[in-house]
Amino acid sequence: MPLHDPAHAFVPYPDTPVPHAATGPLAGLTFGVKDLFDVAGYPTGGGSPIVLAMSGIKTRTAPTVQKLLDAGAALAGKTVTDELAFSMNGDNAHFGAPVNGAVPGRISGGSSSGSASAVSNGLCDFALGTDTGGSVRAPANHCGLVGLRPTHGRVSLEGALDLAPSLDTCGWFARDIGTFARVADVLLGDDAAPLPAAPRLLRPTDVWALATPEAAEALQPATAQVEKVFGTAAPVDAALESFDAMYWHFRHIQGREAWMTDGPLIERFAPPLGPGVKERFAFSRAVTDAQVAEAQAFRTRFRAHLAALLGEDGVLVMPCMPDIAPLRSDPDAALEDYRNRAIRLLCLAGLAGFPQLSLPLARRDDAPLGLSLLGPAGSDRSLVALAEQLSAR
Amino acid sequence: MPLHDPAHAFVPYPDTPVPHAATGPLAGLTFGVKDLFDVAGYPTGGGSPIVLAMSGIKTRTAPTVQKLLDAGAALAGKTVTDELAFSMNGDNAHFGAPVNGAVPGRISGGSSSGSASAVSNGLCDFALGTDTGGSVRAPANHCGLVGLRPTHGRVSLEGALDLAPSLDTCGWFARDIGTFARVADVLLGDDAAPLPAAPRLLRPTDVWALATPEAAEALQPATAQVEKVFGTAAPVDAALESFDAMYWHFRHIQGREAWMTDGPLIERFAPPLGPGVKERFAFSRAVTDAQVAEAQAFRTRFRAHLAALLGEDGVLVMPCMPDIAPLRSDPDAALEDYRNRAIRLLCLAGLAGFPQLSLPLARRDDAPLGLSLLGPAGSDRSLVALAEQLSAR
């Protein structure tokens, strides 16, 4: 770990050499790894003191991390995660709040807080995170980074701690699309069915209405630029039920799976969970079978609905989050309100399992704001290619 | 660590074999070690997630722990400590609140919370703790255990995390005086100048006035028994200045040294400290050189005063704590008030560096209450011998 980490982005584990290839497509780049992934020679803490205590020193490196090492990237360190990855705020009650490198007075977002912090503060070139309900997309938006939630299952999470397996994905952050694309080539390879060079842009007006008017306005120039390059976006409705209903369906699936993952640990050790995390697990414990069944049936219908809407060439152009990052000094209730609004935007990709790329193309009030591209299943690399085209103009 | 530790007394580190002698004076006994002491094969967490992360796996075992292993005792596990050992409540915001085995609805006391919990719940036979300002004596009182704060420097703290080195001591807990004395033989050996068989008992009336009337009354039968065996205690005043002044002198020394120990860590990592601990370090940071100088001059005078009072044969018979343990459900302010009153009793041995033994000889309101014996420097083993004599009657 960097001995002087002014951003508190890295978990201060003792330095342990992690070999990487001398040459390869990522040679010369350094990267951070969210402390959910096993790295041989290090513990895996998952943002939880009890998990850290139980961890011991891992002897195997998660395959996705190994891929990056084999491609020549050098490990900079393991990064702080929100507790058990079950938060969107980037403030771990036990390990601290990594600093947002783009706007230090605002939250970094989470749960991949340390990864976004490390990259946005220039402490490494890119960093791995995970995204269950927004844990890559939220910090990418907040810290002014490129960040991808990939198609569910596309990037291996083997050797990483679960939160809600049917929603968990492995994503990453970079400051620029060039670096981001180099990592994409290693982690994604080519799409089996790439998007066409001129995709069919869609503007989900119902989703746009979830952003604050100020954020929607601030995103207009970037949207206009996207349309200038790829053609005018056709207005559509993306939701299948009300956003309230989608919100609850998402939370019921996430909650049930999170409790199956971490409930045994919580019941056995009664660990003191941080603010918000505690309440979220209490909610999770109380989710009923009927709620889960209804949510899963909805998810199946919604995935089919979104697949039909997008076909093989459609891309939603939409806000990543309702607005810029809240202030670090905002009261808990304001953060919780922001989170509840954010889940309504974030749950589309989550429920469908489709890829969503956040691009730091806008600002308001001196803070970054992400415009996002959401494509059909398997279009991950194509979305990155669109962003490369945009950047080249 | 015990896989099923219903008291949450042990830190759940992965089991690692720690060899011990097959025979010896402690053969057949199991013991817990407060997670401030290094044990080869384990990390040392100090009740702090950041310290745990930085620890790595230790390769050497603290000499005092090794002495116990060499005497045939078997390690049961490492026990939870209050955060950075800077609390008296036994509630770690990151690792939890070990359960008081004598009265589960009341706090275990701390900072040697897990050690007292493990012994009082019968999870091991004895356990090592440390006592800077009461961290053995408070949990011994609260959990109904025999506990000793030894003469400063008598039992080695090498290989253990510091809090305030000029006050830190290494003590231990057992449920019965027989087991306690077996450990005393190993850790203390003989006193260089033992107390006489019939010590001169002193009853510090000013200290007794610091206990609640209910506690003082509940301690009368035990005091009468001590006097029956060893003779009537002569009333004395033990304090040199007001207890308020002594309280502040103690806190200024402890605070300055605690900040010298942990300030660099706190300033570098800005770790989220738990309730109370955070405020105590903020206080510590603000202690002035003038306050420290005045406190140290007082300490020198007080040590001489107490040494003169006790001579080579005097023993103070006094309450260990102001009362039984507070309820776990008591508000923070009540716990802080209890702590502030307790420091006034506890600071006598702390400032003087003299040994104080707490004995679970009383109860009130269905909770244990300790009567304590405070002797001159170096009288540690003699105090234990007095307790053995008492127990034999």
Side-chain angles (χ1 to χ4, degrees), chain A residues 3 8 12 14 53-54 93-94 96 268 272, chain B residues 3 8 12 14 53-54 93-94 96 268 272:
Chain A
L3 271 184
H8 310 302
M54 292 195 299
H94 315 293
R268 179 168 153 197
Chain B
L3 272 183
H8 309 303
M54 291 195 301
H94 316 293
R268 179 168 153 196

Side-chain angles (χ1 to χ4, degrees), chain A residues 25-26 31-33 37 62-71 73 126-129 148 150-151 153-157 169-173 179-191 380-381 384:
Chain A
L26 303 182
F31 71 110
V33 172
F37 292 86
T64 296
V65 176
Q66 192 59 52
K67 261 193 184 177
L68 299 169
L69 296 166
D70 292 346
F126 70 96
L128 279 187
L148 175 70
T151 300
R154 175 118 182 212
V155 181
S156 172
L157 281 168
T169 62
C170 171
W172 69 99
F173 305 93
T179 305
F180 196 89
R182 285 170 69 184
V183 179
D185 285 335
V186 171
L187 293 186
L188 299 173
D190 294 326
D191 290 342
D380 310 58
R381 186 62 186 87
V384 177

Side-chain angles (χ1 to χ4, degrees), chain A:
Chain A
M1 59 110 193
L3 271 184
H4 296 287
D5 168 12
H8 310 302
F10 292 94
V11 184
Y13 294 130
D15 261 324
T16 306
V18 175
H20 62 87
T23 58
L26 303 182
L29 298 181
T30 60
F31 71 110
V33 172
K34 187 177 187 178
D35 195 19
L36 296 183
F37 292 86
D38 289 350
V39 175
Y42 288 83
T44 301
S48 157
I50 295 288
V51 172
L52 174 57
M54 292 195 299
S55 160
I57 304 296
K58 300 301 180 186
T59 54
R60 302 179 69 171
T61 296
T64 296
V65 176
Q66 192 59 52
K67 261 193 184 177
L68 299 169
L69 296 166
D70 292 346
L75 182 73
K78 299 195 75 178
T79 59
V80 171
T81 168
D82 282 11
E83 188 173 11
L84 298 167
F86 208 1
S87 169
M88 207 184 286
N89 292 336
D91 190 357
N92 186 308
H94 315 293
F95 294 91
V99 176
N100 182 330
V103 47
R106 296 185 179 272
I107 69 171
S108 65
S111 63
S112 309
S113 55
S115 287
S117 172
V119 176
S120 64
N121 282 284
L123 303 174
C124 56
D125 295 307
F126 70 96
L128 279 187
T130 62
D131 187 313
T132 301
S135 287
V136 165
R137 291 165 290 167
N141 180 80
H142 294 355
C143 296
L145 300 174
V146 184
L148 175 70
R149 174 193 167 90
T151 300
H152 186 262
R154 175 118 182 212
V155 181
S156 172
L157 281 168
E158 191 187 329
L161 294 172
D162 293 333
L163 175 57
S166 84
L167 299 167
D168 294 345
T169 62
C170 171
W172 69 99
F173 305 93
R175 289 184 294 279
D176 62 274
I177 189 67
T179 305
F180 196 89
R182 285 170 69 184
V183 179
D185 285 335
V186 171
L187 293 186
L188 299 173
D190 294 326
D191 290 342
L195 288 172
R200 182 169 49 92
L201 296 192
L202 300 167
R203 180 184 176 93
T205 46
D206 53 350
V207 175
W208 276 89
L210 297 171
T212 66
E214 296 79 7
E217 188 186 335
L219 286 167
Q220 280 323 307
T223 308
Q225 197 204 338
V226 171
E227 292 189 311
K228 188 173 157 199
V229 175
F230 299 109
T232 304
V236 290
D237 277 342
L240 185 57
E241 294 185 359
S242 74
F243 283 104
D244 277 359
M246 304 229 315
Y247 166 90
W248 287 114
H249 291 322
F250 179 84
R251 287 201 65 194
H252 288 150
I253 294 172
Q254 180 190 39
R256 167 57 60 92
E257 295 188 15
W259 188 251
M260 290 188 61
T261 299
D262 290 318
L265 173 101
I266 290 168
E267 300 219 309
R268 179 168 153 197
F269 294 107
L273 301 170
V277 179
K278 180 178 175 175
E279 289 74 14
R280 251 160 255 144
F281 276 111
F283 167 87
S284 299
R285 187 175 191 274
V287 171
T288 66
D289 290 350
Q291 289 170 330
V292 173
E294 193 188 346
Q296 285 177 337
F298 174 80
R299 172 160 65 172
T300 302
R301 292 198 307 277
F302 180 70
R303 186 181 289 141
H305 161 76
L306 201 58
L309 190 69
L310 296 178
E312 293 181 352
D313 63 346
V315 172
L316 296 178
V317 182
M318 56 185 263
C320 181
M321 295 288 282
D323 206 340
I324 57 175
L327 293 169
R328 285 167 75 113
S329 56
D330 279 348
D332 285 352
L335 293 174
E336 194 63 17
D337 177 64
Y338 183 96
R339 179 176 185 274
N340 288 334
R341 287 187 293 129
I343 289 174
R344 286 165 166 76
L345 287 94
L346 294 163
C347 74
L348 276 73
L351 286 168
F354 291 0
Q356 185 177 7
L357 179 68
S358 183
L359 299 168
L361 297 178
R363 296 184 71 80
R364 87 168 192 86
D365 208 5
D366 286 329
L369 192 58
L371 183 69
S372 77
L373 305 177
L374 193 163
S379 67
D380 310 58
R381 186 62 186 87
S382 298
L383 294 179
V384 177
L386 295 181
E388 290 179 276
Q389 281 184 258
L390 269 177
S391 160
R393 297 300 175 105

Side-chain angles (χ1 to χ4, degrees), chain B residues 186-228:
Chain B
V186 172
L187 293 186
L188 299 172
D190 293 327
D191 290 343
L195 290 171
R200 181 170 49 91
L201 296 192
L202 300 166
R203 180 184 177 92
T205 46
D206 53 350
V207 175
W208 276 89
L210 298 172
T212 66
E214 296 80 6
E217 188 186 335
L219 287 167
Q220 280 323 306
T223 308
Q225 196 204 337
V226 171
E227 291 189 312
K228 189 173 157 198

